[in-house]
Amino acid sequence: MNLDVAKMVCEELHLMSLGQDLKSLTRVSHLWNCAAIPYLYRSTVFDFEVTRAIPTAYLIESILDSQRDFRHFIQHLTVTKPTKKGLYLVGRLEPKLLKVLARLVGLLPRLHTFSWNLREPMPPPLMEALSEHPVISKRNMLLTCWGLNEEATVIKQLCNISNLTSLAVEWRPKSSIKENRLHHLGRSHYRPLFCSLPDELENLSLAFGDVNHDFQNTHGFFDLVWMNYHEMLPPVQCLSLARYSFSWNDDRALHWHVNTDRLQKLVLICCQDLGHLFHILHRLVVLKQLRVQDPTWTSRAGFNSNFLDLFIRSQSSLETLELKRAGLPTSLIVEIARHNSKTLSNLTLHSIDLILELYSLPKEEVISSISTSDIDRIRENCHVLTDLSIALTQSRLFKQEMFSSLSSFTSLQHLEIVTEYKAGSADPNLQPLTEDRLAGLAEAVWSSALQTLRLVVKDPSNGNAIQWLINKNDDEGIFAVVNTSAAVAEKKFKSWSAALGVQYEPPTEEEERKQWEKDLTTGIIKAGSKALAALE
């Protein structure tokens, strides 16, 4: 085969994000290795999560090796380290490792995009290395508030950056912060940053703390940025706000300074008094995606039906609508869907009529179902809907009228259903979802264009979930049911065993299996720490 043809195949795999297939091609032959390696390294991720440290260390080592040519292939670099949910942050990267990263950036001549997704301030040497890079044109930053003094230094450097395309700011204090301290933070630190953001900024994400954490002992929402009335944010394409309070009268509030000219995606998570926001939403004439999750309402006065009506009538081009526990009536959702019937292709509705209590999360997540009549109205109005995700109780899911409603969609390609099952429950409506029962469900709801059915089964007592993926073999008419949660876990333990050079031989007995998983996890963490420490 010609090398150019092989490169075309590899480019297509890269565009389809099929990295595992590219990795397999490198072992087929010398020709396929030469064709696949440039695309395999084009978008590189350094993941410093403790169980992924070994492959990350090997990857950095291979790039630093001057005898190899890998560094010339890297165009997009992401540095990340997922952390546990919660208010306090621990486990920052070692200074020695940060120096390695700073040196490595200067060795990548074709680097165009750099993403910093670590929840710690970027060290000055690394920021200097990026500012001196001759080619880099895009930069994504995750900026986390650890301490005010440290944060101020980083923000001053950020104010001088002209090629910033994506910025995420998370206020994550190490301990409780009083309201007057927060206002000082906004006045002295973040107002200069917001006012100096470049016009080419495309994505802006602002969050106060962890949305999954109980903020009973802290000021739960941030509402003022102390911008003057004539100061505006750059015309970003995507704006994400988490735990933000929409103040109605104060012109120092952030939402009064949003430039809506190019805003195509708006994400609102755990925000307060969204009713005050609807008076500006009608200006979002190019809005394509709207996501609202777990809002809180301090009073019904914050829910202004006139502004809601204005918003609904002004939107006619939404492509994606995602609502989770939004505290909104289903009739309103159906109206939004109807007004965007020609463009709405992706719709998520999870317990939309429910709402979370302020400062607390329910111990048991309650599934609230959308009615069959509402599903019918959505089907009748949304003619281009290809992706639908809904939450249904088992008692409503396994009803003939629900089967009929879901199987009548003509354009739907991907259906996700979130339901619940509590082991040992005495409720006769909650039955174990066996593979045979899932195959029967798929046969009952399968519509003409459907390609995949995904079922997420949650245990309301502990929040755990099992995911099932169901596909249909059109030639044989047989439904294939795969427990994707178990498959992901098996793949993870297999890769850990390979990294440690041990046989993958999981015990069959439950207690022995738990101990085996615990020992394997301990081994991979120790080996990963050792591999990172050896980098020079």
Side-chain angles (χ1 to χ4, degrees), residues 32 65 94 167 193 212 249 268 273 275 327 342 402 416 429 434 461 466 493:
W32 280 109
D65 188 353
E94 295 292 335
L167 175 65
L193 172 61
N212 296 302
N249 293 316
L268 306 168
D273 283 343
K342 296 181 180 180
M402 184 60 68
E416 180 183 70
N429 293 317
T434 61
S461 62
I466 299 176
F493 288 123

Side-chain angles (χ1 to χ4, degrees), residues 44 57 121 157 163-164 188 196 210 243 262 266 278 288-289 294 366 409 445 500:
T44 300
Q157 292 177 317
N163 55 0
L164 192 66
S188 62
S196 63
D210 192 325
R243 297 194 70 85
R262 296 193 303 163
L266 180 62
F278 286 113
K288 303 293 183 185
Q289 301 180 53
D294 297 329
V366 180
F409 279 91
V445 303
L500 294 175

Side-chain angles (χ1 to χ4, degrees), residues 70 118 135 186 201 229 282 463 475 509:
F70 296 155
L118 272 72
V135 178
L201 190 72
Y229 70 93
H282 69 276
D475 295 333
E509 200 275 324

Side-chain angles (χ1 to χ4, degrees), residues 409-448:
F409 279 91
T410 57
S411 60
L412 197 62
Q413 298 178 11
H414 307 286
L415 173 61
E416 180 183 70
I417 300 175
V418 179
T419 188
E420 83 294 300
Y421 171 69
K422 183 178 180 181
S425 174
D427 188 345
N429 293 317
L430 290 177
Q431 301 178 31
L433 293 171
T434 61
E435 290 191 18
D436 289 341
R437 193 169 184 228
L438 291 175
L441 170 65
E443 186 174 8
V445 303
W446 208 266
S447 54
S448 57

Side-chain angles (χ1 to χ4, degrees), residues 446 471-480:
W446 208 266
N471 295 287
K472 183 180 181 181
N473 186 321
D474 292 328
D475 295 333
E476 301 178 4
I478 299 176
F479 292 94

Side-chain angles (χ1 to χ4, degrees), residues 309-326:
D309 184 67
L310 181 62
F311 165 65
I312 294 172
R313 297 181 186 280
S314 67
Q315 299 302 314
S316 60
S317 59
L318 279 179
E319 297 175 357
T320 299
L321 176 63
E322 181 178 324
L323 301 171
K324 295 182 178 181
R325 295 174 297 276

Side-chain angles (χ1 to χ4, degrees), residues 157-168:
Q157 292 177 317
L158 275 177
C159 291
N160 298 320
I161 293 179
S162 60
N163 55 0
L164 192 66
T165 58
S166 181
L167 175 65

Side-chain angles (χ1 to χ4, degrees), residues 119-383:
R119 286 178 167 82
E120 60 178 273
M122 180 183 290
L126 181 55
M127 189 168 287
E128 292 174 7
L130 290 169
S131 62
E132 296 172 358
H133 197 283
V135 178
I136 190 168
S137 59
K138 294 185 178 180
R139 193 177 312 179
N140 304 317
M141 294 279 295
L142 174 60
L143 183 63
T144 304
C145 177
W146 281 71
L148 297 185
N149 294 331
E150 187 177 37
E151 194 76 348
T153 302
V154 178
I155 289 177
K156 287 180 181 178
Q157 292 177 317
L158 275 177
C159 291
N160 298 320
I161 293 179
S162 60
N163 55 0
L164 192 66
T165 58
S166 181
L167 175 65
V169 180
E170 294 188 7
W171 288 275
R172 285 175 171 259
K174 291 183 177 180
S175 58
S176 299
I177 293 182
K178 295 182 179 179
E179 185 172 350
N180 62 343
R181 289 283 284 169
L182 282 176
H183 287 173
H184 171 73
L185 179 67
R187 242 190 344 261
S188 62
H189 290 2
Y190 286 98
R191 178 184 168 272
L193 172 61
F194 292 147
C195 293
S196 63
L197 290 174
D199 288 339
E200 58 265 30
L201 190 72
E202 298 175 357
N203 303 292
L204 178 62
S205 176
L206 307 175
F208 176 71
D210 192 325
V211 297
N212 296 302
H213 192 277
D214 186 352
F215 276 80
Q216 197 166 10
N217 297 319
T218 64
H219 180 73
F221 296 89
F222 193 71
D223 54 358
L224 299 179
V225 292
W226 297 90
M227 296 177 71
N228 296 327
Y229 70 93
H230 63 280
E231 295 171 335
M232 299 293 289
L233 291 171
V236 295
Q237 297 179 20
C238 175
L239 176 63
S240 177
L241 301 175
R243 297 194 70 85
Y244 181 80
S245 176
F246 290 94
S247 174
W248 174 248
N249 293 316
D250 202 316
D251 60 7
R252 295 167 298 180
L254 179 71
H255 60 276
W256 287 100
H257 305 274
V258 174
N259 190 324
T260 61
D261 293 344
R262 296 193 303 163
L263 192 60
Q264 298 183 21
K265 181 178 180 180
L266 180 62
V267 179
L268 306 168
I269 303 177
C270 294
C271 290
Q272 184 178 4
D273 283 343
L274 290 185
H276 294 325
L277 176 66
F278 286 113
H279 76 286
I280 69 164
L281 283 183
H282 69 276
R283 305 202 310 261
L284 304 179
V285 293
V286 295
L287 190 66
K288 303 293 183 185
Q289 301 180 53
L290 176 62
R291 177 187 174 193
V292 180
Q293 177 179 329
D294 297 329
T296 59
W297 312 89
T298 55
S299 67
R300 297 307 294 178
F303 190 89
N304 191 310
S305 59
N306 292 330
F307 288 134
L308 271 176
D309 184 67
L310 181 62
F311 165 65
I312 294 172
R313 297 181 186 280
S314 67
Q315 299 302 314
S316 60
S317 59
L318 279 179
E319 297 175 357
T320 299
L321 176 63
E322 181 178 324
L323 301 171
K324 295 182 178 181
R325 295 174 297 276
L328 301 176
T330 56
S331 58
L332 172 65
I333 311 307
V334 172
E335 283 300 300
I336 295 176
R338 186 174 65 84
H339 276 78
N340 296 272
S341 60
K342 296 181 180 180
T343 57
L344 191 63
S345 61
N346 194 317
L347 180 61
T348 299
L349 303 174
H350 289 184
S351 303
I352 53 177
D353 54 338
L354 295 181
I355 197 165
L356 297 181
E357 295 290 336
L358 184 62
Y359 295 132
S360 66
L361 296 172
K363 293 182 179 180
E364 293 193 2
E365 183 173 351
V366 180
I367 295 289
S368 175
S369 293
I370 188 171
S371 68
T372 53
S373 59
D374 288 332
I375 292 179
D376 288 337
R377 291 179 63 189
I378 290 172
R379 186 193 69 247
E380 293 167 359
N381 288 286
C382 300
H383 306 296

